[in-house]
Amino acid sequence: MKIVDVVGARPQFIKLAPVLKAIQKHNREAGGTPIREVLVHTGQHYDYEMSQVFFDELGLKVPDHHLGVGSGTHAYQTGEMLKRVEEVLLAERPDAVLVYGDTNSTLAGALAAAKLHIPVAHVEAGLRSYNRRMPEEHNRVLADHCSDILFCPTATAVENLRREGFGNVLNGGRLLPRGGPGELFLSGHASRSGPLAVNTGDVMYDAALLYASLSEKKSKALEELGLSPRAYALATLHRAENTDRVDRLAGIMEGLERIAAEGLPVVLPAHPRTRKALKEAGIGVRGVKVIEPVSYLDMLALEKGARVIITDSGGVQKEAFFFMVPCVTLREETEWVETVEAGWNVLAGWEPEAIQQAAKGSRQGDEATPVYGDGHASSRIVSFLSMFTNIGRV
């Protein structure tokens, strides 16, 4: 069996790593259908700090196809990816295409495969923020509706798909009201003619478990930045809804500056989009330690050591939850509702006072419950892929 993995952005490299390891393990074991994996890097993230360092640290194979699309408008970027991914798929003729998350690379990979009638499997399916101003929301919804197999990270994601009419819950021929990891959700009155969804758990949790101990051994980030554990705030900021609106960007930066002025150092590994937006808006940064983007292992170390994390990133919200570090989210909604319900995440938006108060009063929730699975999501994904020829093309 041949599958093509389409990735292009930093969070996707992290999600890809445990899946590739699970494929390698599967291929070493006797009895399973061997999987040949072809890696396509669209080039959505292309500089070293946002791309190659992740391949180096996570031990990822060199991409079989590097498309070199680079930056641009959403239409340009998605269109170029669509054309170039299609060329790869026509040459490779895979049995399935695997896409991850909610970026332009995700949508382009799903669309290109669907147009060629190649089955699509979507890792991290079923997420919804219900904010249609977010480009990620369009990408994830459209990718789901192009997909033949939907790998959901949580029961909430499954319920979102159910509400959109994706179908019934099926496990061993029995209809069930809900599903834990491994239970199937089949659309079309439980027929084989519609998309198949399964709650696998979250591959980012797999990655956190895989690499946290390695981070402790290798990362010198706290030492190099002069930080003490539980004595700083870690901030990340990259979403277009925050960086492309001067009022929101200014409000967020003022909120971070207020936190730093109260005596809690704030470290901001700055996404290239954020640096550009700050410069173009003429927004000065006072009191916040702005640094270059950091590697995955350094990011894990900074997250684990922080007193509070302030972010608009979905992945960072989850990693804060994994490490039981209080989180303040710079949005008014989140697709990762479990983190809020458990008391580890506060939605603060972009007003300075709200950010300051949320960080100051961020409480720790109860011990994190295993809503993101048991650390074996990647193995489940590979098991379902290996059975794909038995399931049949849908």
Side-chain angles (χ1 to χ4, degrees):
M1 178 185 187
K2 181 195 283 189
I3 65 168
V4 165
D5 282 297
V6 179
V7 296
R10 165 182 180 143
Q12 293 170 323
F13 310 144
I14 298 168
K15 295 163 192 169
L16 172 70
V19 174
L20 290 187
K21 288 184 181 296
I23 289 174
Q24 293 166 2
K25 182 175 184 293
H26 167 84
N27 287 342
R28 288 194 302 268
E29 296 174 348
T33 303
I35 297 175
R36 180 186 168 198
E37 180 274 330
V38 177
L39 180 56
V40 176
H41 184 345
T42 66
Q44 181 172 339
H45 283 171
Y46 48 87
D47 60 17
Y48 182 79
E49 291 82 4
M50 299 295 290
S51 177
Q52 187 57 46
V53 66
F54 284 77
F55 282 77
D56 295 343
E57 277 195 334
L58 303 180
L60 298 177
K61 61 178 281 188
V62 174
D64 299 284
H65 302 272
H66 198 303
L67 306 186
V69 172
S71 59
T73 67
H74 287 292
Y76 167 81
Q77 199 175 61
T78 306
E80 283 298 310
M81 289 174 186
L82 187 58
K83 290 191 297 184
R84 300 183 198 187
V85 170
E86 180 184 62
E87 292 172 357
V88 172
L89 298 183
L90 287 170
E92 294 285 355
R93 300 182 62 82
D95 296 294
V97 171
L98 197 57
V99 297
Y100 298 77
D102 55 18
T103 71
N104 290 340
S105 298
T106 311
L107 178 58
L111 276 174
K115 295 283 189 181
L116 294 173
H117 307 292
I118 299 170
V120 180
H122 184 196
V123 175
E124 210 174 71
L127 298 185
R128 300 291 183 268
S129 68
Y130 299 103
N131 177 359
R132 288 301 183 96
R133 293 185 62 85
M134 293 175 59
E136 295 88 352
E137 184 76 354
H138 296 285
N139 290 342
R140 61 173 72 110
V141 170
L142 292 170
D144 281 347
H145 284 266
C146 286
S147 296
D148 300 282
I149 304 180
L150 298 117
F151 294 125
C152 302
T154 64
T156 301
V158 169
E159 289 300 317
N160 291 339
L161 292 177
R162 187 204 299 276
R163 284 193 292 269
E164 292 178 17
F166 273 81
N168 300 310
V169 182
L170 188 70
N171 185 36
R174 295 185 298 111
L175 291 177
L176 300 173
R178 291 181 181 275
E183 293 177 359
L184 300 183
F185 296 76
L186 201 61
S187 74
H189 304 293
S191 74
R192 291 173 60 189
S193 62
L196 175 69
V198 56
N199 179 2
T200 58
D202 195 327
V203 293
M204 283 198 70
Y205 185 48
D206 293 14
L209 294 177
L210 276 171
Y211 293 105
S213 59
L214 183 62
S215 168
E216 291 178 0
K217 295 175 184 176
K218 290 195 169 185
S219 176
K220 303 296 183 186
L222 270 71
E223 178 183 340
E224 290 173 354
L225 292 170
L227 302 172
S228 300
R230 304 300 179 206
Y232 64 92
L234 173 67
T236 78
L237 175 63
H238 78 283
R239 288 194 181 273
E241 62 186 284
N242 286 328
T243 60
D244 293 357
R245 288 187 52 174
V246 174
D247 58 336
R248 293 188 181 186
L249 184 60
I252 289 169
M253 294 310 299
E254 183 180 337
L256 298 181
E257 290 167 2
R258 289 186 183 190
I259 293 166
E262 290 184 331
L264 183 65
V266 178
V267 178
L268 172 64
H271 189 285
R273 174 190 288 159
T274 308
R275 284 185 178 274
K276 181 180 178 183
L278 288 170
K279 182 178 180 180
E280 290 180 349
I283 299 173
V285 180
R286 302 178 301 276
V288 176
K289 190 176 185 63
V290 179
I291 62 174
E292 293 297 323
V294 298
S295 71
Y296 181 53
L297 296 184
D298 283 345
M299 190 63 180
L300 291 180
L302 289 170
E303 288 170 344
K304 290 181 71 175
R307 181 188 301 177
V308 62
I309 292 172
I310 306 165
T311 187
D312 60 5
S313 162
V316 175
Q317 290 174 56
K318 283 190 298 178
E319 286 164 345
F321 181 79
F322 299 157
F323 300 137
M324 292 185 280
V325 175
C327 183
V328 175
T329 293
L330 304 170
R331 293 165 54 191
E332 293 185 315
E333 76 291 309
T334 179
E335 52 276 17
W336 301 107
V337 295
E338 301 86 0
T339 63
V340 177
E341 293 169 351
W344 288 94
N345 192 3
V346 177
L347 301 177
W350 51 88
E351 293 294 338
E353 181 70 17
I355 295 167
Q356 179 185 18
Q357 293 305 315
K360 185 186 301 184
S362 59
R363 65 180 182 85
Q364 293 187 357
D366 298 328
E367 185 173 348
T369 54
V371 292
Y372 295 109
D374 55 5
H376 298 289
S378 302
S379 296
R380 289 193 184 89
I381 287 169
V382 172
S383 293
F384 278 100
L385 288 174
S386 69
M387 293 188 298
F388 192 77
T389 52
N390 295 325
I391 294 171
R393 293 194 173 198
V394 289

